[in-house]
Amino acid sequence: MASRSGPAAVAATSWSGHDTWLMAVVGLSVVLVVVLVSWAKLHAFLALMLGAFAVTVLSGQGVARAAGAFTTGFGSTAGQVGVLIVLGAMFGRLLADSGGVDQLVSALTRRVGPRGLPWAVTGIACLVGLPMFFEVGFVMLVPLVLQIARRAGQPVLRIGVPAVVGLATVHALVPPHPGVLAAVTAVHADTGLTLLYGMIVAIPCAVVAGPLFTAYIWPRVAAHVPEAALAAFTADAPAPAAAPLRRVVRLRAPATAPAPAAAAPIPVAAAGGPTRSAAVAARTAAPVGPPGRTAREPRAEDRTAHGARRTPPFAVTLCTVLLPVVLMMLEAAAGTFHLGHGFAARAIAFLGTPVVALLLAVLVALAVFGWAAGASRRRVHETLTRSFPPIAGVLVIVCAGGGYSAALRGAGIDAVIGEAARDLHIPLILLAWLVAALMRAATGSGTVATVAAGGIVASMAHGLNGPHAALLALALGSGAVFLGHVNDASFWMFKEYFGLSVGGTLRTWTVSHMLISLLSLGGILLLNAFAA
């Protein structure tokens, strides 16, 4: 059979009525999930499962494939993200019970003050997120975010949104993050030049979408951290006998009467109030715990034959927290600069794998936060056991989000978008951004969007000079962060950990990601205009 060529053939083969129907199915499934969660009050796990089934059946794959598509994605997400969530919860529980989180939070709040906290958290998130996937960095930062908000008397969104923005910015724009490295490889760009341009674009994006956007949005969105989420990463601090009665009385007080944060199990700091009066109350809330104390008092169970449980030194706590970050950065550097294939290179590659790095961090934490700090083996076992129940709900929702995303990809959405992109006559950088953005909106995975869009535009990137190839790689990363919504597993992580509604998550998570994507696109186009 003779092959067809030319614009007419491309137009004839690139789009069909079935492709139009697939795009409509995506929209219908998203609406279905949102309605089931927000209006019908159905649990997100069931809503995502029904949404995935609807995609598979309506796309013409048949009822028999519906369960398989969902469970395949569910299992894949459980293996890739679920294990990280479990290890992160264990690490966070050990860190909290030892008083290590209190040390880090106290040092941070004492040095920067309440006004500087969003800026400081943005910088920490950018640093932590450099070598690792978004979900890993998010799990590592959740304990710090909740404790900073609690101890500093700040609304959780005022700390949480900058943390997410910092992670998402480096995820999209800054090597050696794995996502943008995939884009560099796809278009054969220079890693060093991409890093330079990425930093230039990322800094203003992180500032605007982080602290500045947060200052606008947190008073307008209600966030009530679930007690289970707070308990997962909060040490059990002793309270006076009369404290429970005072909590009850203050919780029933009028909303206009500000109460100290220490008066409630989940303090004022854990809720971003929807009104300015609530915002004022949150700003004036007192830090949790007795004045002058930076670490919790040891409980009776923590006492051993050698005395009370000891809080690890600050330097030891900081090194333990940074251990997985350093391991993953070494692995990324080894891959970027091709440091050989000897034993040392293989060891770095193994230890820098996210699961291995977090596992090693948990084992080190068992020693320095547990046994070396004076806790008995039974007490350490109890600490680990208590780390699992609070994350059960988050885990099933995140994995269900992965099942929904897999159903979309199985329906062929990525192929439809790729065919449509070939018919568009627009500049290559803008085309790369648009294809990646459509992939992200349809599949929910930034990494999938980067890889798929990179494969589509790679054939058009031959002959580009170094600066233009680097900017093309950044455009892929910029588009892949656009419009994270209900088909993104991380969307549900953010919602569940910070106690938001679906609408509140769309106004914070989704809008902040759109800001990062659009601002970075503007910066990339500006640099492209001056590139040699």
Side-chain angles (χ1 to χ4, degrees):
M1 180 182 295
S3 60
R4 292 181 295 179
S5 60
V10 172
T13 59
S14 63
W15 199 258
S16 67
H18 179 68
D19 297 334
T20 303
W21 172 243
L22 283 181
M23 297 302 294
V25 166
V26 174
L28 290 172
S29 68
V30 170
V31 172
L32 175 64
V33 172
V34 173
V35 169
L36 289 176
V37 173
S38 59
W39 179 77
K41 303 302 180 184
L42 201 63
H43 192 275
F45 171 80
L46 293 176
L48 289 166
M49 192 173 186
L50 292 174
F53 279 29
V55 167
T56 304
V57 173
L58 293 177
S59 63
Q61 298 182 74
V63 179
R65 290 181 57 88
F70 177 81
T71 54
T72 299
F74 187 98
S76 176
T77 304
Q80 296 175 7
V81 180
V83 174
L84 299 177
I85 293 176
V86 172
L87 290 173
M90 297 169 70
F91 184 80
R93 184 75 260 174
L94 289 165
L95 186 63
D97 279 4
S98 69
V101 173
D102 287 329
Q103 281 188 330
L104 296 176
V105 171
S106 297
L108 181 63
T109 55
R110 185 169 59 251
R111 284 172 171 81
V112 303
R115 290 183 178 273
L117 280 176
W119 299 84
V121 170
T122 302
I124 291 172
C126 289
L127 176 64
V128 169
L130 272 176
M132 62 188 69
F133 284 103
F134 181 93
E135 292 83 358
V136 185
F138 183 85
V139 168
M140 290 185 62
L141 285 178
V142 163
L144 291 178
V145 167
L146 295 182
Q147 284 285 358
I148 288 172
R150 181 175 185 264
R151 291 292 303 276
Q154 296 292 316
V156 72
L157 288 183
R158 192 166 185 260
I159 311 299
V161 173
V164 167
V165 167
L167 290 173
T169 301
V170 297
H171 175 94
L173 300 170
V174 183
H177 191 279
V180 69
L181 281 180
V184 168
T185 303
V187 300
H188 307 288
D190 179 78
T191 303
L193 196 57
T194 307
L195 173 62
L196 174 62
Y197 286 157
M199 291 295 293
I200 294 173
V201 174
I203 291 174
C205 288
V207 169
V208 174
L212 298 184
F213 171 67
T214 300
Y216 167 80
I217 197 61
W218 76 257
R220 294 169 170 81
V221 177
H224 305 285
V225 179
E227 291 188 13
L230 192 66
F233 303 115
T234 305
D236 297 320
L245 179 59
R246 290 200 299 271
R247 288 191 179 103
V248 172
V249 172
R250 287 175 179 169
L251 281 173
R252 293 178 179 177
T256 55
I266 301 179
V268 176
T275 63
R276 286 290 175 184
S277 60
V280 174
R283 292 192 185 101
T284 58
V288 172
R293 298 291 298 180
T294 59
R296 66 180 180 89
E297 296 290 342
R299 301 194 310 173
E301 323 57 322
D302 291 335
R303 299 185 180 278
T304 66
H306 302 286
R309 181 170 178 172
R310 300 176 297 276
T311 300
F314 176 80
V316 173
T317 300
L318 184 62
C319 290
T320 305
V321 170
L322 293 179
L323 175 62
V325 179
V326 172
L327 289 175
M328 282 182 270
M329 288 188 71
L330 286 176
E331 192 274 337
T336 301
F337 300 107
H338 308 290
L339 300 182
H341 302 282
F343 174 78
R346 292 196 300 271
I348 291 174
F350 172 73
L351 295 176
T353 305
V355 171
V356 176
L358 271 177
L359 174 61
L360 186 59
V362 170
L363 295 178
V364 172
L366 283 172
V368 299
F369 297 149
W371 305 315
S376 65
R377 285 174 294 179
R378 179 178 179 179
R379 180 59 188 161
V380 171
H381 179 269
E382 291 174 354
T383 294
L384 293 177
T385 302
R386 288 190 298 115
S387 67
F388 301 131
I391 64 169
V394 175
L395 193 60
V396 297
I397 291 174
V398 169
C399 294
Y404 177 58
S405 179
L408 290 171
R409 294 194 299 272
I413 299 300
D414 50 353
V416 170
I417 294 174
E419 290 294 333
R422 294 187 176 93
D423 289 340
L424 301 176
H425 302 285
I426 58 177
L428 184 56
I429 284 182
L430 191 57
L431 175 65
W433 180 90
L434 181 60
V435 173
L438 290 173
M439 290 289 187
R440 169 60 188 267
T443 66
S445 170
T447 303
V448 169
T450 303
V451 173
I456 291 171
V457 303
S459 60
M460 311 175 198
H462 293 298
L464 292 179
N465 59 22
H468 285 100
L471 292 172
L472 181 62
L474 292 179
L476 290 169
S478 171
V481 79
F482 184 76
L483 199 62
H485 58 100
V486 297
N487 62 353
D488 184 358
S490 299
F491 175 96
W492 298 99
M493 289 174 64
F494 184 77
K495 174 188 178 298
E496 294 301 315
Y497 272 126
F498 295 141
L500 294 165
S501 65
V502 172
T505 313
L506 289 170
R507 294 169 64 189
T508 50
W509 170 278
T510 303
V511 173
S512 65
H513 278 64
M514 290 176 64
L515 280 174
I516 296 170
S517 184
L518 294 174
L519 289 169
S520 59
L521 174 63
I524 292 166
L525 292 175
L526 185 62
L527 288 175
N528 186 62
F530 294 96

